[in-house]
PDB file of all heavy atoms in Angstrom:
ATOM      1  N   PRO A   1       0.776  -1.215   0.037  1.00 93.00           N
ATOM      2  CA  PRO A   1       0.043   0.088   0.013  1.00 93.00           C
ATOM      3  C   PRO A   1       0.717   1.183   0.016  1.00 93.00           C
ATOM      4  O   PRO A   1       1.973   1.211   0.477  1.00 93.00           O
ATOM      5  CB  PRO A   1      -0.778  -0.106   1.294  1.00 93.00           C
ATOM      6  CG  PRO A   1      -0.100  -1.093   2.176  1.00 93.00           C
ATOM      7  CD  PRO A   1       0.629  -2.012   1.286  1.00 93.00           C
ATOM      8  N   GLY A   2       0.258   2.397  -0.614  1.00 93.00           N
ATOM      9  CA  GLY A   2       0.899   3.570  -0.549  1.00 93.00           C
ATOM     10  C   GLY A   2       1.111   4.244   0.835  1.00 93.00           C
ATOM     11  O   GLY A   2       0.413   3.808   1.879  1.00 93.00           O
ATOM     12  N   GLY A   3       2.046   5.092   1.040  1.00 95.00           N
ATOM     13  CA  GLY A   3       2.453   5.617   2.278  1.00 95.00           C
ATOM     14  C   GLY A   3       1.457   6.861   2.635  1.00 95.00           C
ATOM     15  O   GLY A   3       0.955   7.453   1.743  1.00 95.00           O
ATOM     16  N   ASN A   4       1.180   6.833   3.869  1.00 96.00           N
ATOM     17  CA  ASN A   4       0.418   8.091   4.357  1.00 96.00           C
ATOM     18  C   ASN A   4       1.320   9.330   4.427  1.00 96.00           C
ATOM     19  O   ASN A   4       2.414   9.324   4.740  1.00 96.00           O
ATOM     20  CB  ASN A   4      -0.249   7.828   5.763  1.00 96.00           C
ATOM     21  CG  ASN A   4      -1.253   6.685   5.636  1.00 96.00           C
ATOM     22  OD1 ASN A   4      -1.634   6.388   4.642  1.00 96.00           O
ATOM     23  ND2 ASN A   4      -1.456   6.073   6.790  1.00 96.00           N
ATOM     24  N   ILE A   5       0.695  10.457   4.260  1.00 97.00           N
ATOM     25  CA  ILE A   5       1.253  11.788   4.308  1.00 97.00           C
ATOM     26  C   ILE A   5       0.648  12.687   5.381  1.00 97.00           C
ATOM     27  O   ILE A   5      -0.449  12.889   5.310  1.00 97.00           O
ATOM     28  CB  ILE A   5       1.266  12.536   2.811  1.00 97.00           C
ATOM     29  CG1 ILE A   5       2.091  11.752   1.928  1.00 97.00           C
ATOM     30  CG2 ILE A   5       1.909  13.896   3.027  1.00 97.00           C
ATOM     31  CD1 ILE A   5       2.122  12.174   0.492  1.00 97.00           C
ATOM     32  N   VAL A   6       1.563  13.186   6.133  1.00 97.00           N
ATOM     33  CA  VAL A   6       1.106  14.234   7.174  1.00 97.00           C
ATOM     34  C   VAL A   6       1.519  15.581   6.837  1.00 97.00           C
ATOM     35  O   VAL A   6       2.689  15.813   6.605  1.00 97.00           O
ATOM     36  CB  VAL A   6       1.551  13.766   8.618  1.00 97.00           C
ATOM     37  CG1 VAL A   6       1.143  14.845   9.711  1.00 97.00           C
ATOM     38  CG2 VAL A   6       1.164  12.437   8.860  1.00 97.00           C
ATOM     39  N   LEU A   7       0.651  16.517   6.603  1.00 97.00           N
ATOM     40  CA  LEU A   7       0.968  17.871   6.238  1.00 97.00           C
ATOM     41  C   LEU A   7       1.213  18.722   7.432  1.00 97.00           C
ATOM     42  O   LEU A   7       0.856  18.366   8.549  1.00 97.00           O
ATOM     43  CB  LEU A   7      -0.288  18.429   5.385  1.00 97.00           C
ATOM     44  CG  LEU A   7      -0.848  17.638   4.227  1.00 97.00           C
ATOM     45  CD1 LEU A   7      -1.845  18.374   3.459  1.00 97.00           C
ATOM     46  CD2 LEU A   7       0.442  17.253   3.277  1.00 97.00           C
ATOM     47  N   THR A   8       1.857  19.969   7.185  1.00 97.00           N
ATOM     48  CA  THR A   8       1.987  20.863   8.292  1.00 97.00           C
ATOM     49  C   THR A   8       0.794  21.678   8.389  1.00 97.00           C
ATOM     50  O   THR A   8       0.665  22.515   9.456  1.00 97.00           O
ATOM     51  CB  THR A   8       3.097  21.813   7.887  1.00 97.00           C
ATOM     52  OG1 THR A   8       2.775  22.502   6.703  1.00 97.00           O
ATOM     53  CG2 THR A   8       4.471  21.074   7.757  1.00 97.00           C
ATOM     54  N   ILE A   9      -0.229  21.555   7.519  1.00 97.00           N
ATOM     55  CA  ILE A   9      -1.517  22.292   7.705  1.00 97.00           C
ATOM     56  C   ILE A   9      -2.226  21.990   8.908  1.00 97.00           C
ATOM     57  O   ILE A   9      -2.416  20.828   9.281  1.00 97.00           O
ATOM     58  CB  ILE A   9      -2.405  22.013   6.320  1.00 97.00           C
ATOM     59  CG1 ILE A   9      -1.708  22.472   5.150  1.00 97.00           C
ATOM     60  CG2 ILE A   9      -3.848  22.662   6.649  1.00 97.00           C
ATOM     61  CD1 ILE A   9      -1.652  23.968   4.922  1.00 97.00           C
ATOM     62  N   ASP A  10      -2.747  23.011   9.517  1.00 97.00           N
ATOM     63  CA  ASP A  10      -3.681  22.893  10.753  1.00 97.00           C
ATOM     64  C   ASP A  10      -5.078  23.073  10.106  1.00 97.00           C
ATOM     65  O   ASP A  10      -5.432  24.221   9.761  1.00 97.00           O
ATOM     66  CB  ASP A  10      -3.392  23.865  11.871  1.00 97.00           C
ATOM     67  CG  ASP A  10      -4.357  23.652  12.944  1.00 97.00           C
ATOM     68  OD1 ASP A  10      -5.470  23.279  12.749  1.00 97.00           O
ATOM     69  OD2 ASP A  10      -4.006  24.060  14.103  1.00 97.00           O
ATOM     70  N   ILE A  11      -5.919  22.022   9.900  1.00 97.00           N
ATOM     71  CA  ILE A  11      -7.055  22.159   9.137  1.00 97.00           C
ATOM     72  C   ILE A  11      -8.198  22.916   9.752  1.00 97.00           C
ATOM     73  O   ILE A  11      -9.006  23.561   9.149  1.00 97.00           O
ATOM     74  CB  ILE A  11      -7.657  20.657   8.841  1.00 97.00           C
ATOM     75  CG1 ILE A  11      -8.541  20.839   7.666  1.00 97.00           C
ATOM     76  CG2 ILE A  11      -8.266  20.268  10.046  1.00 97.00           C
ATOM     77  CD1 ILE A  11      -7.911  21.199   6.429  1.00 97.00           C
ATOM     78  N   LYS A  12      -8.014  23.141  11.144  1.00 97.00           N
ATOM     79  CA  LYS A  12      -8.947  24.039  11.964  1.00 97.00           C
ATOM     80  C   LYS A  12      -8.691  25.491  11.493  1.00 97.00           C
ATOM     81  O   LYS A  12      -9.636  26.276  11.257  1.00 97.00           O
ATOM     82  CB  LYS A  12      -8.908  23.772  13.412  1.00 97.00           C
ATOM     83  CG  LYS A  12      -9.535  22.457  13.953  1.00 97.00           C
ATOM     84  CD  LYS A  12      -9.448  22.324  15.389  1.00 97.00           C
ATOM     85  CE  LYS A  12     -10.136  21.101  15.886  1.00 97.00           C
ATOM     86  NZ  LYS A  12      -9.953  20.942  17.399  1.00 97.00           N
ATOM     87  N   LEU A  13      -7.420  25.884  11.583  1.00 97.00           N
ATOM     88  CA  LEU A  13      -7.073  27.139  11.111  1.00 97.00           C
ATOM     89  C   LEU A  13      -7.387  27.413   9.672  1.00 97.00           C
ATOM     90  O   LEU A  13      -7.954  28.447   9.352  1.00 97.00           O
ATOM     91  CB  LEU A  13      -5.552  27.381  11.322  1.00 97.00           C
ATOM     92  CG  LEU A  13      -4.968  28.707  10.839  1.00 97.00           C
ATOM     93  CD1 LEU A  13      -5.538  29.921  11.648  1.00 97.00           C
ATOM     94  CD2 LEU A  13      -3.352  28.764  11.083  1.00 97.00           C
ATOM     95  N   GLN A  14      -7.163  26.350   8.825  1.00 97.00           N
ATOM     96  CA  GLN A  14      -7.466  26.505   7.454  1.00 97.00           C
ATOM     97  C   GLN A  14      -9.005  26.744   7.255  1.00 97.00           C
ATOM     98  O   GLN A  14      -9.309  27.713   6.443  1.00 97.00           O
ATOM     99  CB  GLN A  14      -7.156  25.186   6.739  1.00 97.00           C
ATOM    100  CG  GLN A  14      -7.489  25.083   5.231  1.00 97.00           C
ATOM    101  CD  GLN A  14      -6.497  25.626   4.357  1.00 97.00           C
ATOM    102  OE1 GLN A  14      -5.328  25.824   4.738  1.00 97.00           O
ATOM    103  NE2 GLN A  14      -6.788  25.987   3.112  1.00 97.00           N
ATOM    104  N   LYS A  15      -9.844  26.021   7.850  1.00 97.00           N
ATOM    105  CA  LYS A  15     -11.183  26.277   7.703  1.00 97.00           C
ATOM    106  C   LYS A  15     -11.588  27.506   8.296  1.00 97.00           C
ATOM    107  O   LYS A  15     -12.546  28.283   7.765  1.00 97.00           O
ATOM    108  CB  LYS A  15     -12.094  25.074   8.450  1.00 97.00           C
ATOM    109  CG  LYS A  15     -13.411  25.097   8.153  1.00 97.00           C
ATOM    110  CD  LYS A  15     -14.192  23.882   8.600  1.00 97.00           C
ATOM    111  CE  LYS A  15     -15.641  23.812   8.208  1.00 97.00           C
ATOM    112  NZ  LYS A  15     -16.363  25.029   8.142  1.00 97.00           N
ATOM    113  N   LEU A  16     -11.101  28.030   9.424  1.00 97.00           N
ATOM    114  CA  LEU A  16     -11.491  29.365  10.040  1.00 97.00           C
ATOM    115  C   LEU A  16     -11.143  30.482   8.982  1.00 97.00           C
ATOM    116  O   LEU A  16     -12.046  31.302   8.792  1.00 97.00           O
ATOM    117  CB  LEU A  16     -10.562  29.505  11.195  1.00 97.00           C
ATOM    118  CG  LEU A  16     -10.725  30.870  11.775  1.00 97.00           C
ATOM    119  CD1 LEU A  16     -12.247  31.133  12.387  1.00 97.00           C
ATOM    120  CD2 LEU A  16      -9.696  31.076  13.047  1.00 97.00           C
ATOM    121  N   VAL A  17     -10.076  30.342   8.399  1.00 96.00           N
ATOM    122  CA  VAL A  17      -9.634  31.463   7.339  1.00 96.00           C
ATOM    123  C   VAL A  17     -10.595  31.352   6.138  1.00 96.00           C
ATOM    124  O   VAL A  17     -11.062  32.279   5.603  1.00 96.00           O
ATOM    125  CB  VAL A  17      -8.159  31.336   6.969  1.00 96.00           C
ATOM    126  CG1 VAL A  17      -7.876  32.206   5.799  1.00 96.00           C
ATOM    127  CG2 VAL A  17      -7.308  31.521   8.141  1.00 96.00           C
ATOM    128  N   GLU A  18     -10.824  30.145   5.603  1.00 96.00           N
ATOM    129  CA  GLU A  18     -11.794  30.003   4.357  1.00 96.00           C
ATOM    130  C   GLU A  18     -13.085  30.590   4.840  1.00 96.00           C
ATOM    131  O   GLU A  18     -13.779  31.201   3.976  1.00 96.00           O
ATOM    132  CB  GLU A  18     -11.849  28.626   4.083  1.00 96.00           C
ATOM    133  CG  GLU A  18     -10.462  27.961   3.519  1.00 96.00           C
ATOM    134  CD  GLU A  18     -10.679  26.627   2.863  1.00 96.00           C
ATOM    135  OE1 GLU A  18     -11.871  26.176   2.767  1.00 96.00           O
ATOM    136  OE2 GLU A  18      -9.670  25.958   2.392  1.00 96.00           O
ATOM    137  N   ASP A  19     -13.666  30.331   6.024  1.00 95.00           N
ATOM    138  CA  ASP A  19     -14.930  30.799   6.409  1.00 95.00           C
ATOM    139  C   ASP A  19     -14.907  32.324   6.661  1.00 95.00           C
ATOM    140  O   ASP A  19     -15.845  33.078   6.179  1.00 95.00           O
ATOM    141  CB  ASP A  19     -15.435  30.166   7.745  1.00 95.00           C
ATOM    142  CG  ASP A  19     -15.650  28.702   7.708  1.00 95.00           C
ATOM    143  OD1 ASP A  19     -15.787  28.260   6.430  1.00 95.00           O
ATOM    144  OD2 ASP A  19     -15.803  28.031   8.621  1.00 95.00           O
ATOM    145  N   MET A  20     -13.812  32.905   6.998  1.00 96.00           N
ATOM    146  CA  MET A  20     -13.718  34.362   7.224  1.00 96.00           C
ATOM    147  C   MET A  20     -13.714  35.068   5.801  1.00 96.00           C
ATOM    148  O   MET A  20     -14.106  36.144   5.604  1.00 96.00           O
ATOM    149  CB  MET A  20     -12.546  34.706   7.939  1.00 96.00           C
ATOM    150  CG  MET A  20     -12.517  34.380   9.483  1.00 96.00           C
ATOM    151  SD  MET A  20     -11.077  34.634  10.320  1.00 96.00           S
ATOM    152  CE  MET A  20     -11.001  36.458  10.336  1.00 96.00           C
ATOM    153  N   PHE A  21     -13.150  34.371   4.760  1.00 94.00           N
ATOM    154  CA  PHE A  21     -13.212  34.911   3.396  1.00 94.00           C
ATOM    155  C   PHE A  21     -14.649  35.022   2.898  1.00 94.00           C
ATOM    156  O   PHE A  21     -14.891  35.892   2.212  1.00 94.00           O
ATOM    157  CB  PHE A  21     -12.362  34.057   2.450  1.00 94.00           C
ATOM    158  CG  PHE A  21     -10.896  34.478   2.209  1.00 94.00           C
ATOM    159  CD1 PHE A  21      -9.934  34.169   3.151  1.00 94.00           C
ATOM    160  CD2 PHE A  21     -10.686  35.405   1.196  1.00 94.00           C
ATOM    161  CE1 PHE A  21      -8.627  34.506   2.985  1.00 94.00           C
ATOM    162  CE2 PHE A  21      -9.334  35.843   0.917  1.00 94.00           C
ATOM    163  CZ  PHE A  21      -8.301  35.446   1.766  1.00 94.00           C
ATOM    164  N   GLY A  22     -15.415  34.180   3.203  1.00 93.00           N
ATOM    165  CA  GLY A  22     -16.771  34.227   2.764  1.00 93.00           C
ATOM    166  C   GLY A  22     -16.886  34.062   1.278  1.00 93.00           C
ATOM    167  O   GLY A  22     -16.199  33.035   0.819  1.00 93.00           O
ATOM    168  N   ASP A  23     -17.612  34.917   0.584  1.00 90.00           N
ATOM    169  CA  ASP A  23     -17.607  34.832  -0.771  1.00 90.00           C
ATOM    170  C   ASP A  23     -16.582  35.674  -1.597  1.00 90.00           C
ATOM    171  O   ASP A  23     -16.631  35.800  -2.749  1.00 90.00           O
ATOM    172  CB  ASP A  23     -19.095  35.337  -1.240  1.00 90.00           C
ATOM    173  CG  ASP A  23     -20.096  34.440  -0.750  1.00 90.00           C
ATOM    174  OD1 ASP A  23     -19.908  33.248  -0.635  1.00 90.00           O
ATOM    175  OD2 ASP A  23     -21.315  34.968  -0.576  1.00 90.00           O
ATOM    176  N   ARG A  24     -15.717  36.367  -0.859  1.00 93.00           N
ATOM    177  CA  ARG A  24     -14.641  37.068  -1.445  1.00 93.00           C
ATOM    178  C   ARG A  24     -13.628  36.213  -2.064  1.00 93.00           C
ATOM    179  O   ARG A  24     -13.340  35.132  -1.686  1.00 93.00           O
ATOM    180  CB  ARG A  24     -14.043  37.955  -0.372  1.00 93.00           C
ATOM    181  CG  ARG A  24     -14.952  39.048   0.101  1.00 93.00           C
ATOM    182  CD  ARG A  24     -14.051  40.032   1.057  1.00 93.00           C
ATOM    183  NE  ARG A  24     -13.767  39.427   2.278  1.00 93.00           N
ATOM    184  CZ  ARG A  24     -14.507  39.383   3.351  1.00 93.00           C
ATOM    185  NH1 ARG A  24     -15.717  39.936   3.384  1.00 93.00           N
ATOM    186  NH2 ARG A  24     -13.975  38.811   4.493  1.00 93.00           N
ATOM    187  N   ARG A  25     -12.965  36.785  -3.051  1.00 93.00           N
ATOM    188  CA  ARG A  25     -11.940  36.099  -3.798  1.00 93.00           C
ATOM    189  C   ARG A  25     -10.494  36.522  -3.074  1.00 93.00           C
ATOM    190  O   ARG A  25     -10.439  37.673  -2.652  1.00 93.00           O
ATOM    191  CB  ARG A  25     -11.861  36.444  -5.229  1.00 93.00           C
ATOM    192  CG  ARG A  25     -12.888  35.876  -5.996  1.00 93.00           C
ATOM    193  CD  ARG A  25     -12.983  36.347  -7.475  1.00 93.00           C
ATOM    194  NE  ARG A  25     -13.179  37.796  -7.656  1.00 93.00           N
ATOM    195  CZ  ARG A  25     -13.299  38.423  -8.776  1.00 93.00           C
ATOM    196  NH1 ARG A  25     -13.274  37.636  -9.852  1.00 93.00           N
ATOM    197  NH2 ARG A  25     -13.475  39.720  -8.797  1.00 93.00           N
ATOM    198  N   GLY A  26      -9.595  35.650  -3.093  1.00 93.00           N
ATOM    199  CA  GLY A  26      -8.301  36.027  -2.524  1.00 93.00           C
ATOM    200  C   GLY A  26      -7.362  34.827  -2.166  1.00 93.00           C
ATOM    201  O   GLY A  26      -7.719  33.650  -2.326  1.00 93.00           O
ATOM    202  N   ALA A  27      -6.251  35.110  -1.505  1.00 94.00           N
ATOM    203  CA  ALA A  27      -5.372  34.064  -1.112  1.00 94.00           C
ATOM    204  C   ALA A  27      -4.845  34.485   0.262  1.00 94.00           C
ATOM    205  O   ALA A  27      -4.581  35.566   0.603  1.00 94.00           O
ATOM    206  CB  ALA A  27      -4.329  33.776  -2.161  1.00 94.00           C
ATOM    207  N   LEU A  28      -4.472  33.472   1.160  1.00 94.00           N
ATOM    208  CA  LEU A  28      -3.648  33.772   2.403  1.00 94.00           C
ATOM    209  C   LEU A  28      -2.830  32.492   2.794  1.00 94.00           C
ATOM    210  O   LEU A  28      -3.284  31.294   2.534  1.00 94.00           O
ATOM    211  CB  LEU A  28      -4.724  33.892   3.608  1.00 94.00           C
ATOM    212  CG  LEU A  28      -4.120  34.171   4.913  1.00 94.00           C
ATOM    213  CD1 LEU A  28      -4.934  35.153   5.651  1.00 94.00           C
ATOM    214  CD2 LEU A  28      -3.961  32.901   5.708  1.00 94.00           C
ATOM    215  N   VAL A  29      -1.687  32.667   3.103  1.00 94.00           N
ATOM    216  CA  VAL A  29      -0.681  31.673   3.402  1.00 94.00           C
ATOM    217  C   VAL A  29      -0.217  31.914   4.779  1.00 94.00           C
ATOM    218  O   VAL A  29       0.406  32.991   4.965  1.00 94.00           O
ATOM    219  CB  VAL A  29       0.576  31.531   2.397  1.00 94.00           C
ATOM    220  CG1 VAL A  29       1.407  30.521   2.935  1.00 94.00           C
ATOM    221  CG2 VAL A  29       0.004  31.220   1.060  1.00 94.00           C
ATOM    222  N   ALA A  30      -0.560  31.197   5.784  1.00 95.00           N
ATOM    223  CA  ALA A  30       0.043  31.493   7.201  1.00 95.00           C
ATOM    224  C   ALA A  30       1.086  30.550   7.521  1.00 95.00           C
ATOM    225  O   ALA A  30       1.113  29.303   7.366  1.00 95.00           O
ATOM    226  CB  ALA A  30      -1.140  31.080   8.128  1.00 95.00           C
ATOM    227  N   ILE A  31       2.346  31.215   7.843  1.00 95.00           N
ATOM    228  CA  ILE A  31       3.515  30.459   7.941  1.00 95.00           C
ATOM    229  C   ILE A  31       4.032  30.581   9.388  1.00 95.00           C
ATOM    230  O   ILE A  31       4.104  31.675   9.959  1.00 95.00           O
ATOM    231  CB  ILE A  31       4.704  30.941   6.989  1.00 95.00           C
ATOM    232  CG1 ILE A  31       4.092  30.881   5.610  1.00 95.00           C
ATOM    233  CG2 ILE A  31       5.990  30.283   7.245  1.00 95.00           C
ATOM    234  CD1 ILE A  31       5.118  31.461   4.578  1.00 95.00           C
ATOM    235  N   ASP A  32       4.558  29.534  10.144  1.00 95.00           N
ATOM    236  CA  ASP A  32       5.191  29.574  11.396  1.00 95.00           C
ATOM    237  C   ASP A  32       6.500  30.172  11.108  1.00 95.00           C
ATOM    238  O   ASP A  32       7.495  29.438  10.536  1.00 95.00           O
ATOM    239  CB  ASP A  32       5.224  28.115  11.927  1.00 95.00           C
ATOM    240  CG  ASP A  32       5.800  28.107  13.396  1.00 95.00           C
ATOM    241  OD1 ASP A  32       6.432  29.238  13.754  1.00 95.00           O
ATOM    242  OD2 ASP A  32       5.507  27.185  14.072  1.00 95.00           O
ATOM    243  N   PRO A  33       6.856  31.377  11.646  1.00 91.00           N
ATOM    244  CA  PRO A  33       8.032  31.992  11.412  1.00 91.00           C
ATOM    245  C   PRO A  33       9.227  31.356  12.147  1.00 91.00           C
ATOM    246  O   PRO A  33      10.433  31.512  11.684  1.00 91.00           O
ATOM    247  CB  PRO A  33       7.921  33.493  11.966  1.00 91.00           C
ATOM    248  CG  PRO A  33       6.815  33.245  13.002  1.00 91.00           C
ATOM    249  CD  PRO A  33       5.881  32.296  12.443  1.00 91.00           C
TER     250      PRO A  33
END
């Protein structure tokens, strides 16, 4: 079987930002400095 991949993405933060965008267009990348 193929290997599993663990991302650095925090999906709760991802969903929060996507919900805050609403119907607006745009992009956001949040990086741990």
Side-chain angles (χ1 to χ4, degrees):
N4 295 337
I5 291 180
V6 179
L7 307 183
T8 61
I9 296 292
D10 183 330
I11 203 63
K12 289 184 179 179
L13 176 62
Q14 176 86 18
K15 189 173 189 319
L16 173 65
V17 175
E18 289 188 12
D19 290 344
M20 291 175 67
F21 261 87
D23 295 331
R24 291 186 292 269
R25 292 176 296 186
L28 180 144
V29 181
I31 302 174
D32 184 341

